[in-house]
Amino acid sequence: MELTFLGATGTVTGSKYLLSCQTDAGVSKRILIDCGLFQGLKQLRLKNWATLPVNPRDVDVVVLTHAHIDHSGYLPLFVKNGFSGKVYCSDATRDLCEILLPDSAHLQEEEAEYANKRGFSKHNPALPLYTKEDAKNALELLTAVDFEQDVDLGDDLTLRFSPNGHILGSAFVKISNKKTSIVFSGDIGRPNDILMRPPVRIKQADYLVLESTYGNRLHDREDPQIKLAAVINKTVKRKGVVIIPVFAVGRAQELLYYIHLLKSSGAISNDIPVYLNSPMAVDATEIFTHHSGEHRLTPEQCSALNRTAHMVNSVEQSKRLNETAGPMIILSASGMATGGRVVHHLKAFAPDPKNTILFVGFQAAGTRGAAMLDRVDSIKIHGEYVPLRADVELVSNLSAHADYAEIIAWLGGFESKPKKTFITHGEPVAADAMRLHIEEQLHWQVIVPDYLETVTLT
């Protein structure tokens, strides 16, 4: 086997790994594990437009660890450029991709149209990376398989998904032949997440590709409800608006559940209006009820998620929120404030000091979210600078990613150490810190690969 790192090196986005397998019969089979978009810094986003070093027509199979756009969002372009094989994923990942990929295409079409209308793009005309029709074509290739079921990929290659607790459908991916095996961690969930069941233990793999989003950090052990309530109550006292940028899948549902608990306990007023302004998040919340085996919520608790917020669907409803006085709470995608309806809310509410922008997850370098946490004076939205006078807060321990101690604990489930462990999906300092933790505590051989590096797996 040969493994080439086409993304998620030196960054937390753009996950793509090309596994080339030479069989005894001399047949070469190419498998792409994850097919994600780059996000954040401009030099990363430009890679989405660059030609891949592999022709999509030459790839036999795509495997998705989960549905988040940094792992699945390049798929419509990959199909548009010639890929026509099967895309293997879990059942819930397929359901979520049916929401996420068309929405990603819609956002890109919408932003291109807005740029052309306002004339702030350097390109004339501005074009979307791909269209809703491209997303539809990609969805037709999705093939759902059950967890813990061996899938024959042909040529003595076997695929197996195991739940990793990050979001609905997220999985560890194990690919094996008669000689060797490799596990791709995807994004690893947390052992005591309020929604998701813990990651299963993997006992053996000859090679491991491991995420490192929080490779240099530990999550705060304080109950996140305490700070969440404090931020909301402080803002409500000012009659302000709490804007919470959320990922539509996972984080939105977690926040809704926490707000439900806070209202039920009286920690925040039951009268505070809550709005979920993301049609995609509304649909994703409904999907929770269809995959009860993957999360901890009872049917009654799932129902409470849907009752916690007013569901905002139309553009007109979204615009009216920007003209509505506080106090209120608005949850809206995207989670790093890179696009979507939350950007319009930031434009409306960021200049007012009585409001609060509350982040509840990792903010990649180059995103608006990272800039706001760095307390910049203004943020650029739709070609113009918007003053940032609102409070900016962070509840850091709501992340759906394991921190380095939780990852080390999960690695303790291996009965024998892999020949090599490759650290990816982390910014440089985090990836190198994760390498050091594993080398010092487990004495494994660990490598932090470079972009486009190819390694041979014997």
Side-chain angles (χ1 to χ4, degrees):
M1 294 183 181
E2 280 190 344
L3 178 63
T4 302
F5 299 90
L6 302 180
T9 52
T11 179
V12 296
T13 70
S15 288
K16 297 183 202 72
Y17 311 103
L18 181 66
L19 190 65
S20 301
C21 308
Q22 196 78 15
T23 69
D24 291 337
V27 177
S28 181
K29 199 173 191 88
R30 292 182 176 90
I31 303 169
L32 188 70
I33 296 87
D34 278 343
C35 196
L37 278 183
F38 286 101
Q39 299 167 308
L41 296 168
K42 184 176 181 180
Q43 61 262 39
L44 290 174
R45 289 183 278 115
L46 288 175
K47 290 179 180 179
N48 295 324
W49 296 87
T51 302
L52 281 179
V54 58
N55 190 328
R57 290 182 175 84
D58 296 334
V59 174
D60 299 284
V61 171
V62 172
V63 179
L64 299 181
T65 60
H66 65 289
H68 276 153
I69 289 299
D70 58 330
H71 293 258
S72 72
Y74 190 85
L75 188 61
L77 186 60
F78 200 64
V79 173
K80 179 181 180 179
N81 289 339
F83 175 75
S84 59
K86 287 186 177 181
V87 180
Y88 288 104
C89 61
S90 69
D91 191 46
T93 294
R94 180 193 58 192
D95 289 351
L96 291 172
C97 280
E98 288 176 351
I99 301 170
L100 286 163
L101 295 185
D103 184 81
S104 174
H106 170 72
L107 289 177
Q108 292 177 64
E109 289 180 325
E110 192 177 62
E111 287 173 6
E113 181 182 352
Y114 196 86
N116 289 323
K117 182 178 178 181
R118 295 297 179 92
F120 61 77
S121 174
K122 296 178 182 177
H123 304 281
N124 187 21
L127 298 173
L129 187 64
Y130 53 79
T131 66
K132 290 193 285 290
E133 185 66 24
D134 296 326
K136 178 183 175 184
N137 293 336
L139 291 172
E140 292 176 356
L141 302 181
L142 296 185
T143 302
V145 297
D146 293 335
F147 287 119
E148 309 301 357
Q149 171 185 306
D150 287 336
V151 179
D152 184 1
L153 298 179
D155 301 306
D156 294 324
L157 287 165
T158 301
L159 163 70
R160 189 178 184 89
F161 289 113
S162 300
N164 74 2
H166 176 61
I167 62 168
L168 285 180
S170 63
F172 299 116
V173 168
K174 186 172 187 177
I175 296 175
S176 312
N177 62 17
K178 292 179 179 179
K179 297 179 180 178
T180 192
S181 62
I182 182 169
V183 166
F184 297 84
S185 76
D187 292 348
I188 303 178
R190 303 181 65 187
N192 299 305
D193 188 82
I194 195 170
L195 293 186
M196 297 301 300
R197 297 185 186 278
V200 303
R201 292 296 186 101
I202 302 294
K203 294 182 178 181
Q204 186 277 333
D206 295 312
Y207 298 92
L208 173 64
V209 177
L210 181 69
E211 74 122 316
S212 58
T213 306
Y214 284 87
N216 61 335
R217 279 166 289 182
L218 295 173
H219 295 309
D220 188 348
R221 300 307 182 210
E222 183 182 46
D223 186 345
Q225 293 183 70
I226 296 172
K227 183 165 185 181
L228 191 58
V231 170
I232 291 171
N233 287 328
K234 181 174 66 173
T235 309
V236 167
K237 190 175 180 180
R238 300 193 299 256
K239 293 185 168 48
V241 178
V242 181
I243 303 293
I244 309 180
V246 290
F247 296 104
V249 177
R251 203 59 47 79
Q253 292 75 34
E254 185 177 22
L255 261 293
L256 287 176
Y257 189 58
Y258 271 119
I259 291 170
H260 159 70
L261 293 177
L262 291 173
K263 285 193 170 189
S264 298
S265 68
I268 64 173
S269 171
N270 204 45
D271 296 329
I272 304 169
V274 180
Y275 298 92
L276 179 60
N277 187 14
S278 167
M280 181 169 54
V282 172
D283 292 339
T285 303
E286 180 62 30
I287 286 176
F288 258 73
T289 64
H290 304 316
H291 294 279
S292 57
E294 293 188 39
H295 58 76
R296 302 177 189 267
L297 300 187
T298 66
E300 293 75 22
Q301 290 168 330
C302 284
S303 179
L305 286 184
N306 291 302
R307 296 195 308 269
T308 298
H310 303 283
M311 304 299 182
V312 179
N313 287 302
S314 72
V315 174
E316 291 71 24
Q317 289 174 309
S318 178
K319 288 179 177 178
R320 280 199 295 272
L321 284 179
N322 290 336
E323 300 165 359
T324 303
M328 62 178 170
I329 302 169
I330 301 175
L331 285 70
S332 187
S334 67
M336 296 185 194
T338 53
R341 292 183 179 180
V342 74
V343 172
H344 296 274
H345 294 319
L346 293 172
K347 203 171 182 178
F349 295 111
D352 193 331
K354 71 174 180 288
N355 300 325
T356 299
I357 300 162
L358 175 60
F359 290 98
V360 291
F362 184 82
Q363 304 298 308
T367 61
R368 288 192 188 91
M372 285 185 276
L373 285 176
D374 285 342
R375 293 302 315 185
V376 295
D377 295 330
S378 60
I379 47 175
K380 192 175 184 180
I381 298 176
H382 301 145
E384 60 185 80
Y385 284 92
V386 177
L388 178 59
R389 302 189 189 101
D391 274 354
V392 179
E393 298 279 359
L394 171 68
V395 179
S396 61
N397 54 347
L398 283 177
S399 176
H401 288 265
D403 63 22
Y404 75 76
E406 291 166 336
I407 289 177
I408 290 290
W410 176 77
L411 292 174
F414 278 75
E415 294 178 350
S416 59
K417 62 184 179 181
K419 294 178 183 177
K420 291 180 183 177
T421 296
F422 302 99
I423 304 298
T424 63
H425 209 280
E427 291 177 350
V429 172
D432 196 59
M434 192 74 248
R435 173 194 63 79
L436 195 59
H437 289 307
I438 297 172
E439 287 179 343
E440 290 185 343
Q441 297 184 47
L442 301 178
H443 309 294
W444 291 7
Q445 184 176 354
V446 187
I447 297 169
V448 180
D450 293 325
Y451 180 57
L452 300 184
E453 182 176 345
T454 296
V455 295
T456 300
L457 313 180
T458 57

